[in-house]
Amino acid sequence: MTDHHARILGDDEQRGAVELFRSALHAPPLTDEEWASARDVECAGRRHGVTDGDTGALIGTAWAWDTALTVPGGGVPLGAVTEVGVRADRTRRGVLSELMRAQLTDMAERGVVTAGLHASEATIYGRFGYGVGALARDYTVETSRAQLRPEAPAGGRVEIRDLETVIDLASQAYPAMATRPGMLARPAEWWGMLRAHLARRAEGRVTAVTHEGKDGIDGFAVYSVDRPKPGSATLKLVDLHTATIDAFAGLWRYLLSVDLIGEITATNRPVDEPLELLLADPRAVSTTARFDDLWLRLVDVPEALAVRAYQGDPLTVEVTDRLLPANTGSYLVGPDGVERTDRAPDLRLDVAALAMIHLGAWRPSQLVDTGRAQALTTRAASRADRLFSTPTAPWCGTFF
Ligand SMILES: CC(C)(COP(=O)(O)OP(=O)(O)OC[C@H]1O[C@@H](n2cnc3c(N)ncnc32)[C@H](O)[C@@H]1OP(=O)(O)O)[C@@H](O)C(=O)NCCC(=O)NCCS
């Protein structure tokens, strides 16, 4: 237990909180100029803080801004949790636990149905009810081996534009691209974060392109090229989103045609992105990492379950939630709706395990096989697999 108390910080406390977070990540302090350009974004959303009982100094902080999460069949409000840090001389005394309790309680009271974060370490957030809701991969493309197959979709037009124009066009077109479960709405503040992120990149020149199909802008890419010495250079993809497979193929046709590039590195991409299927030599693509992308927390379990679409026959799911006990209970879940029930459960799991199957990152039977969930009736695991199945792997694809 803890005697710490978290509260929402005021505008005059934001910079101190950001610096506390940066010191926890061993990042250098922001200059006055960097703070001036980051201030509007950093003051948006809600930032909790814990102060030391004796000195009054800030010793822990956690920030969240409001957005929306794409789920199978719809969307729900999501609190995007980030900039979490505790002062190094006050760790392991329950400060984070108090911040998480206060932040999740605040979201529950405000009707924020889900919370999501990118974790610095995979062992921290499970105890607060977060589970790995979406995976991602990094890959490298060897350009000399990468040619599109003749039947790859063609058409549309790729155009280099200045970054501001691309951000303007992309922010308008993005909602039509954010259809994969796990993706986030990107409010104006997020595009401000992208600008700040690109401005801080020391290396390489940043280029931004759009893809225009028959219905207008349907894809965009932002990349930098690192060419430390003469010879072949590395093109680093920063952001690439598309609404259609034609736009995806069109942007990759362009990227592979850029001169002097030996390899393209793509980070934080969907695990089932079909680039290999477009190439004559699929081994031109090497997956270099596969990792937990979005940690998801269902803050309002009945509402989160009700908004999502399902396949197959209904099932009774018993959920336990230590931190937000109002979620604990049994739910009859099926394509025709979700309701609380007294029926005996088919599947039993905690709220973190529920988050792992909610967007389709894991099959319920995988959780049953590994002891993360319990199947209590015949064929419960395979029925749950069908119930929660999704056509594509979930992916977040938005840093925060
Ligand atoms: C990670 C961090 C926020 C934890 O803060 P904290 O105040 O020490 O956490 P708490 O004391 O509330 O710990 C709660 C529980 O989490 C565990 N825990 C905390 N940090 C952990 C870590 N890095 N790895 C594994 N377990 C961790 C504690 O042991 C404790 O376990 P218990 O419930 O079994 O007792 C803090 O160490 C930190 O700021 N680290 C550097 C920055 C960072 O990684 N931020 C997270 C960005 S996503």
Side-chain angles (χ1 to χ4, degrees):
M1 276 307 287
T2 170
D3 54 5
H4 299 297
H5 172 68
R7 63 181 171 81
I8 295 185
L9 299 179
D11 278 358
D12 57 333
E13 297 171 294
Q14 299 293 322
R15 186 170 182 178
V18 171
E19 291 303 355
L20 168 56
F21 159 70
R22 291 179 67 82
S23 75
L25 280 196
H26 313 294
L30 292 176
T31 62
D32 287 344
E33 196 186 356
E34 285 170 330
W35 174 248
S37 68
R39 180 181 14 224
D40 285 352
V41 170
E42 297 285 358
C43 289
R46 286 158 90 82
R47 197 183 302 269
H48 281 81
V50 167
T51 43
D52 183 281
D54 296 327
T55 64
L58 194 65
I59 54 170
T61 182
W63 184 39
W65 48 274
D66 290 345
T67 181
L69 169 75
T70 304
V71 301
V76 287
L78 176 131
V81 175
T82 183
E83 300 194 359
V84 176
V86 172
R87 215 172 74 180
D89 59 353
R90 294 292 193 282
T91 54
R92 309 303 180 268
R93 295 161 208 207
V95 175
L96 174 67
S97 305
E98 165 60 9
L99 287 164
M100 290 289 108
R101 184 205 61 73
Q103 191 178 59
L104 288 168
T105 305
D106 177 57
M107 287 185 201
E109 285 169 2
R110 291 190 301 117
V112 180
V113 179
T114 60
L117 56 82
H118 299 296
S120 61
E121 294 179 85
T123 45
I124 302 174
Y125 293 99
R127 59 174 53 75
F128 305 117
Y130 285 87
V132 176
L135 300 163
R137 67 168 173 153
D138 294 346
Y139 58 79
T140 299
V141 184
E142 204 181 325
T143 53
S144 62
R145 292 174 72 177
Q147 257 128 41
L148 292 193
R149 294 170 64 89
E151 68 274 26
R157 195 172 57 144
V158 173
E159 181 113 14
I160 295 177
R161 301 174 191 262
D162 67 76
L163 182 64
E164 279 311 312
T165 306
V166 170
I167 288 181
D168 184 36
L169 294 170
S171 58
Q172 293 172 47
Y174 182 78
M177 303 174 190
T179 53
R180 198 186 264 266
M183 293 181 76
L184 303 189
R186 290 177 167 184
E189 289 84 1
W190 187 89
W191 297 98
M193 281 196 259
L194 176 65
R195 266 189 210 98
H197 170 76
L198 292 172
R200 278 202 295 268
R201 277 176 92 90
E203 87 283 6
R205 179 193 174 93
V206 172
T207 303
V209 298
T210 52
H211 183 275
E212 193 167 356
K214 58 180 172 23
D215 297 323
I217 301 296
D218 54 11
F220 67 94
V222 179
Y223 61 88
S224 68
V225 173
D226 196 9
R227 194 166 178 246
K229 52 180 188 277
S232 72
T234 298
L235 187 155
K236 298 179 178 176
L237 206 48
V238 177
D239 203 15
L240 180 147
H241 284 276
T242 53
T244 65
I245 187 69
D246 290 14
F248 181 73
L251 283 169
W252 271 101
R253 181 175 285 105
Y254 163 75
L255 292 169
L256 294 170
S257 76
V258 177
D259 282 340
L260 305 177
I261 304 297
E263 64 171 18
I264 299 175
T265 58
T267 52
N268 204 343
R269 303 301 307 168
V271 292
D272 61 352
E273 186 159 73
L275 181 58
E276 287 92 334
L277 293 179
L278 293 175
L279 298 179
D281 179 358
R283 289 193 190 171
V285 180
S286 303
T287 296
T288 50
R290 184 183 153 95
F291 51 91
D292 47 284
D293 174 24
L294 182 74
W295 285 73
L296 178 67
R297 211 300 177 188
L298 304 186
V299 178
D300 181 339
V301 167
E303 181 62 18
L305 285 175
V307 169
R308 190 197 186 282
Y310 301 94
Q311 324 288 325
D313 300 325
L315 204 69
T316 300
V317 181
E318 184 187 291
V319 182
T320 50
D321 189 343
R322 193 183 49 81
L323 204 54
L324 298 175
N327 288 325
T328 295
S330 290
Y331 301 88
L332 182 63
V333 180
D336 295 333
V338 172
E339 59 188 40
R340 283 191 187 261
T341 179
D342 294 330
R343 290 164 56 141
D346 300 295
L347 187 72
R348 176 180 289 151
L349 73 189
D350 71 10
V351 71
L354 184 62
M356 294 170 74
I357 62 175
H358 194 67
L359 304 174
W362 307 92
R363 289 192 310 279
S365 61
Q366 292 176 300
L367 301 195
V368 169
D369 289 346
T370 52
R372 302 285 303 256
Q374 285 174 273
L376 303 164
T377 55
T378 316
R379 295 186 49 249
S382 58
R383 285 171 58 208
D385 281 358
R386 175 144 166 68
L387 193 68
F388 284 89
S389 64
T390 56
T392 54
W395 175 57
C396 178
T398 290
F399 72 83
F400 57 92

